[in-house]
């Protein structure tokens, strides 16, 4: 399947885009970007040089994926959400050698207008609510909201809220799929 690139988009020579990718209006993909199959980049998206993106990632309008960010497969980046790569930026002080790496693991959702502070890891299938500010690591399946983001519950792989406390112990099923999940302390796993 061919790559679709809107005439107003810029894809620099050397950028690697997998089959089925779609790059929409006024997007810019830098030369060093490594992008998997079937990804979508909305209007006004920027992807830096030192960026790795897995298969089936959706990056909605007006998102900049800066250097030192890795998005694993099936990640969703909501409209106008923000990544950073320097913890203490100053215009007059060059700090490109101080970028902190950010990892967003498989299946995570980053809601509209949320901010992910550099140096954090977002766990598999975690769900960051709209407008939240993530300034520390997020566990797998966690539901995070607020400023700063705090865990208020857990989400299934399907994106449904699980009937589990924020911490402690318990088991619950995904309302959409019936898949079973177990909470133990601060960690949720899928029950085999």
């Amino acid at each position: 399947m061919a790559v679709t690139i809107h005439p107003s988009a810029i894809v620099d020579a050397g950028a690697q885009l997998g089959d089925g990718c779609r790059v929409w209006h006024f997007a810019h993909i830098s030369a060093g970007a490594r992008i998997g199959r079937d990804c979508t980049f909305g209007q006004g998206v920027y992807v830096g040089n030192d960026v790795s993106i897995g298969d089936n990632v959706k990056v909605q309008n007006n998102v900049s994926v800066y250097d030192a960010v890795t998005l694993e497969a099936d990640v969703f980046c909501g409209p106008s959400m923000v990544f950073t790569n320097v913890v203490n930026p100053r215009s007059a002080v060059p700090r490109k050698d101080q970028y902190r790496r950010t990892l967003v693991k498989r299946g995570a959702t980053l809601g509209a207008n949320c901010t992910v502070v550099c140096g954090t890891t977002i766990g598999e299938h975690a769900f960051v609510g709209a407008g939240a500010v993530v300034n520390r690591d997020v566990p797998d399946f966690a539901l995070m909201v607020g400023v700063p983001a705090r865990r208020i519950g857990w989400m299934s792989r399907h994106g449904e809220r699980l009937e589990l406390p924020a911490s402690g112990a318990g088991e619950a099923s995904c309302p959409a799929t019936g898949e079973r999940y177990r909470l133990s302390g601060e960690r949720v796993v899928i029950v085999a």
Side-chain angles (χ1 to χ4, degrees):
M1 181 186 271
V3 173
T4 302
I5 301 172
H6 189 272
S8 67
I10 299 169
V11 177
D12 292 340
Q16 299 173 19
L17 281 82
D19 288 344
C21 285
R22 293 165 303 284
V23 182
W24 294 111
H25 305 73
F26 312 111
H28 179 191
I29 310 293
S30 298
R34 296 169 318 281
I35 298 167
R37 300 172 54 94
D38 300 316
C39 295
T40 302
F41 300 92
Q43 179 176 302
V45 166
Y46 169 75
V47 178
N49 280 301
D50 181 17
V51 170
S52 177
I53 297 177
D55 295 339
N56 195 42
V57 171
K58 307 293 187 261
V59 182
Q60 299 295 299
N61 295 353
N62 305 312
V63 174
S64 292
V65 185
Y66 294 121
D67 285 350
V69 172
T70 297
L71 306 177
E72 292 185 350
D74 303 320
V75 166
F76 178 88
C77 296
S80 300
M81 62 81 46
V82 175
F83 291 103
T84 69
N85 58 13
V86 175
V87 74
N88 60 337
R90 291 283 196 200
S91 179
V93 181
R95 293 200 165 113
K96 289 188 176 185
D97 61 335
Q98 297 176 23
Y99 287 171
R100 294 188 183 180
R101 301 207 73 78
T102 298
L103 172 61
V104 183
K105 291 188 174 181
R106 176 180 295 274
T109 292
L110 306 174
N113 290 306
C114 75
T115 298
V116 177
V117 176
C118 59
T120 57
T121 296
I122 309 294
E124 288 190 14
H125 306 288
F127 196 104
V128 177
V133 176
V134 176
N135 63 359
R136 61 185 179 275
D137 290 350
V138 172
D140 296 349
F141 304 106
L143 173 58
M144 306 291 288
V145 300
V147 178
R150 65 193 184 289
R151 188 178 65 246
I152 63 164
W154 305 94
M155 299 289 277
S156 72
R157 286 196 293 190
H158 193 73
E160 300 290 334
R161 182 97 182 248
L162 295 170
E163 293 284 332
L164 291 169
S167 62
E171 285 196 20
S173 295
C174 172
T177 66
E179 188 171 55
R180 300 280 304 158
Y181 294 82
R182 179 178 296 132
L183 169 64
S184 179
E186 306 287 318
R187 185 169 180 247
V188 166
V189 296
I190 297 171
V191 178

